[in-house]
Amino acid sequence: MGNQWKILVTERIAEEGIEMLKQEADVHVDFELSSDEKRPELLKEIKNYDAIIVRSKTKIDRELFDASENLKVVGRAGNGIDNIEVKEATKRGVVVANTPDSNTISAAELAIGLLIAQSRNISQANTYIKSGKWERNKFKGSELYGKVLGIVGLGRIGSLVATRMQSFGMKVIGYDPYIQDERFKRFNVEKKDALDKLIKESDFISVHTPRTEETMGMIGEDEIEIMKEGVRLVNAARGGIISEQAILKGIKNGKIASAGIDVHEVEPCYDNPLYEYDNVIVTPHIGASTLEAQQNVGVTIANQVISALKGEVVTNAVNLPTLNRDELITTKPYIDLMDKLGGIYYQLYNDPVEKVEISYYGNVARQETDMATIAFLKGLLSPVVGEHVNYVNAKMLAEQRGIALKENKKMDVFNGYTQLITVKVRGKNKTFTISGNLSSKNEGKIVEIEGYEVDVEPSEFMIFVQNIDVPGVIGKIGTTLAIENVNIAKMQVGRNKPGERALMLLNVDDIVSKDTLDALTKVENVIWAKAVRL
Ligand code: NAD
């Protein structure tokens, strides 16, 4: 039997990753399809695939999305997503995932390598000795110990460099206006609230920001001007964050003692005036080029793509709120629960939704709840939009359908619950409420529906019955289901007062037929009966 999914891999990923993909899908590997010459072929082929895995060469743009028919995931083995039009992907509900964590250690270690190599002239000495010469005084370097290292961008890589260089006895200062003070404290990095302040105090400066409009050329001639004499620079982030032109000037006039550069303004770069200077150490963008990083990237992207195809949470999706491993562990049960709670409304009522109001109480309010909200919307829209709705486009589709969204977070205990999620779905003609919670085993439960207190685990096949609460109804429903050969796993009745309306929730073992529902509706005092599949 063929696999359910087809995955196209157009650029190299580790064999381990390919093997993992093959467990779940038909995998076709063709590196030529990443080239401009073979682009027409790629555009023709893409309609056959559910996922494509690329690195930085294959262009994933509107034209490609237009040519695709089944594409659900774009996997970027690596970090930068310049070659992918993420907005177009989001519009079409295509998940774009990358592997930002897989090469952080490798990139940090290379930045440190460039720092050490330049301060001790390792590269120059190597070339010198191999040319048949021997001279010790020529290569007098400087120690790192006791020096000030300025880190610009205290993200994944910047923070790794910071902690590692502290073990060399360096004082580390940092500039990153987008992170909390808490993070500086955690990494023992002295916070500078302006780039100038960092620049003036640093003996070494290493940049670790992404490439953005703001960061391109953020260190230019003016910044180099105010640096310490004999400053040493590292750029293993993205070419141009420190202007090459400015480095050249600083090297020429002696202000900069040395520089280590892994990334270039134009890549590949075969010729650059900086290459004429021995004290400029260059490497051809090899920050991620280690065996470990390559394996990590391959395995991670395979996992991400498979999760996306299975409709599971994709931790590294760039067009979704990202979750780290710890956040995923704590929030996954809520995400699953919200998907199910969302799925109920449209299976019971046809009334178009105008507003969804979600309130998170207690412990859950302290956590990352964006994905849980998205999961509710995905569940809500699934019965009406079908499989086109997913975690990526649920919010956008809800917006397009004019569904207003409101979220509240309250840290206090609510109605005796230490954690609770309540949802109010306002339709054109009625308001539906549902609340959920987690059991001690971390399983999702419905604890309230339409004002009735219940304690029900949502399951794949359910029947909801609205009836008048008079003696005999429950028995007749049981008998009717027995006649229809439907096995009841669990059953609960939510009611307020005898003789009033009650809502019955039944977990059953199998899909419920229309005939069964008709039979239930005919039972005396039953108002309606609906099958719900979650
Ligand atoms: P990250 O997103 O974890 O961290 C980037 C940090 O930069 C964030 O904390 C952000 O707040 C900060 N930042 C953004 N704009 C800033 C600004 N204007 N001023 C100061 N700080 C700013 O990213 P990361 O994974 O640590 O990657 C850092 C860089 O390294 C990226 O450019 C990435 O592409 C590059 N990288 C290079 C290689 C390589 O082969 N040389 C490998 C991996 C990553």
Side-chain angles (χ1 to χ4, degrees):
M1 203 184 81
N3 277 306
Q4 196 179 348
W5 296 299
K6 291 190 167 15
I7 301 177
L8 177 63
V9 181
T10 60
E11 290 173 74
R12 189 173 299 284
I13 67 165
E15 205 42 48
E16 287 92 330
I18 301 275
E19 287 310 313
M20 286 173 61
L21 294 169
K22 282 185 180 162
Q23 307 284 318
E24 305 278 350
D26 289 337
V27 182
H28 180 61
V29 180
D30 186 345
F31 299 150
E32 291 197 350
L33 290 180
S34 63
S35 69
D36 287 345
E37 301 84 71
K38 291 281 174 121
R39 172 89 178 166
E41 203 175 305
L42 174 67
L43 293 176
K44 213 169 96 206
E45 282 294 308
I46 193 67
K47 66 172 182 300
N48 301 319
Y49 292 94
D50 300 281
I52 181 167
I53 296 183
V54 303
R55 295 187 77 91
S56 55
K57 201 169 157 204
T58 317
K59 268 194 223 77
I60 307 293
D61 53 9
R62 194 173 165 167
E63 188 184 30
L64 182 124
F65 289 120
D66 282 344
S68 69
E69 285 173 12
N70 302 317
L71 198 63
K72 299 168 188 70
V73 199
V74 175
R76 159 66 164 113
N79 204 351
I81 42 165
D82 306 346
N83 54 323
I84 301 167
E85 284 183 17
V86 178
K87 263 200 187 141
E88 283 299 321
T90 306
K91 265 194 214 158
R92 295 153 208 258
V94 174
V95 179
V96 179
N98 64 351
T99 61
D101 276 331
S102 306
N103 56 26
T104 46
I105 292 180
S106 295
E109 289 181 357
L110 184 83
I112 293 166
L114 290 172
L115 205 90
I116 298 174
Q118 61 176 292
S119 54
R120 301 306 301 272
N121 305 302
I122 292 175
S123 153
Q124 301 92 308
N126 173 64
T127 314
Y128 194 80
I129 200 167
K130 286 184 180 165
S131 68
K133 295 181 231 165
W134 185 270
E135 178 76 68
R136 293 171 72 185
N137 290 335
K138 202 173 159 49
F139 299 110
K140 200 184 296 141
S142 58
E143 283 185 350
L144 302 176
Y145 181 80
K147 301 278 164 43
V148 177
L149 168 63
I151 291 192
V152 183
L154 197 62
R156 283 175 287 245
I157 297 171
S159 57
L160 289 179
V161 173
T163 44
R164 280 155 176 71
M165 294 326 291
Q166 282 159 11
S167 69
F168 276 69
M170 294 192 95
K171 175 183 170 187
V172 184
I173 61 177
Y175 169 68
D176 188 329
Y178 301 111
I179 56 166
Q180 309 283 330
D181 289 359
E182 182 46 43
R183 191 170 167 89
F184 285 91
K185 285 198 196 111
R186 175 145 44 106
F187 295 111
N188 198 20
V189 172
E190 188 179 306
K191 178 180 168 165
K192 296 289 163 195
D193 55 14
L195 182 61
D196 284 8
K197 291 186 186 161
L198 176 134
I199 281 175
K200 281 184 191 156
E201 277 184 38
S202 301
D203 300 301
F204 292 76
I205 297 172
S206 190
V207 292
H208 299 283
T209 67
R211 174 166 52 199
T212 64
E213 244 171 61
E214 191 190 359
T215 62
M216 278 310 279
M218 76 190 291
I219 298 188
E221 283 187 22
D222 292 348
E223 285 71 25
I224 290 176
E225 187 94 20
I226 57 168
M227 287 180 186
K228 283 187 177 174
E229 287 298 321
V231 65
R232 297 180 191 271
L233 306 178
V234 174
N235 185 2
R238 279 288 179 261
I241 294 174
I242 311 181
S243 145
E244 286 177 6
Q245 196 58 42
I247 299 178
L248 184 66
K249 190 172 166 201
I251 288 281
K252 272 187 181 162
N253 67 24
K255 174 97 185 185
I256 299 173
S258 59
I261 299 171
D262 183 46
V263 286
H264 307 252
E265 283 174 15
V266 178
E267 293 184 359
C269 181
Y270 301 101
D271 187 22
N272 188 319
L274 283 171
Y275 299 172
E276 286 164 26
Y277 294 86
D278 279 352
N279 50 348
V280 177
I281 295 177
V282 285
T283 46
H285 202 147
I286 56 170
S289 305
T290 62
L291 186 64
E292 292 82 356
Q294 296 310 312
Q295 279 171 352
N296 278 344
V297 167
V299 167
T300 306
I301 202 62
N303 270 324
Q304 297 284 310
V305 167
I306 293 164
S307 296
L309 286 173
K310 288 185 172 170
E312 294 169 358
V313 177
V314 183
T315 48
N316 292 341
V318 295
N319 45 1
L320 276 175
T322 49
L323 294 170
N324 65 35
R325 206 169 300 224
D326 292 346
E327 283 169 343
L328 180 65
I329 292 168
T330 46
T331 56
K332 176 91 170 46
Y334 291 110
I335 295 168
D336 292 345
L337 171 66
M338 288 295 270
D339 196 347
K340 293 193 171 115
L341 295 189
I344 294 169
Y345 177 81
Y346 272 125
Q347 299 191 63
L348 299 185
Y349 304 111
N350 285 330
D351 200 23
V353 176
E354 293 185 340
K355 184 173 179 187
V356 171
E357 183 170 350
I358 304 178
S359 304
Y360 296 95
Y361 294 96
N363 293 343
V364 61
R366 288 187 192 93
Q367 291 163 23
E368 171 58 61
T369 54
D370 285 356
M371 277 298 287
T373 296
I374 290 175
F376 185 87
L377 296 174
K378 170 179 170 277
L380 177 75
L381 294 176
S382 291
V384 281
V385 184
E387 59 180 25
H388 298 302
V389 57
N390 58 24
Y391 288 110
V392 173
N393 61 7
K395 220 169 183 170
M396 195 184 69
L397 288 177
E399 247 173 59
Q400 281 173 358
R401 297 178 151 254
I403 299 174
L405 176 67
K406 184 160 189 256
E407 281 177 278
N408 310 303
K409 281 192 170 200
K410 298 191 180 119
M411 310 296 169
D412 339 324
V413 173
F414 182 73
N415 260 359
Y417 290 104
T418 52
Q419 51 190 355
L420 183 73
I421 307 173
T422 67
V423 188
K424 211 187 269 177
V425 178
R426 206 184 67 210
K428 211 160 182 279
N429 304 302
K430 73 167 280 136
T431 297
F432 167 84
T433 63
I434 189 159
S435 308
N437 200 347
L438 294 187
S439 70
S440 53
K441 288 189 208 141
N442 254 2
E443 272 151 13
K445 287 191 307 184
I446 305 170
V447 296
E448 175 273 334
I449 181 164
E450 305 246 54
Y452 301 110
E453 267 188 41
V454 292
D455 187 356
V456 173
E457 265 180 36
S459 61
E460 184 173 4
F461 305 109
M462 296 187 76
I463 304 174
F464 286 55
V465 182
Q466 176 102 75
N467 62 292
I468 308 288
D469 184 36
V470 289
V473 186
I474 296 177
K476 281 184 201 150
I477 286 176
T479 317
T480 309
L481 289 175
I483 295 167
E484 291 288 324
N485 206 16
V486 175
N487 199 31
I488 304 173
K490 276 184 191 156
M491 175 174 189
Q492 250 199 52
V493 186
R495 60 159 214 179
N496 292 329
K497 279 195 197 125
E500 289 187 350
R501 283 182 172 219
L503 188 66
M504 224 179 268
L505 279 67
L506 298 100
N507 304 91
V508 294
D509 287 346
D510 217 333
I511 199 157
V512 182
S513 71
K514 182 157 183 315
D515 290 350
T516 304
L517 293 175
D518 287 346
L520 285 173
T521 317
K522 285 187 190 128
V523 172
E524 204 186 345
N525 287 313
V526 165
I527 301 164
W528 52 253
K530 306 253 169 91
V532 169
R533 187 157 184 187
L534 299 175

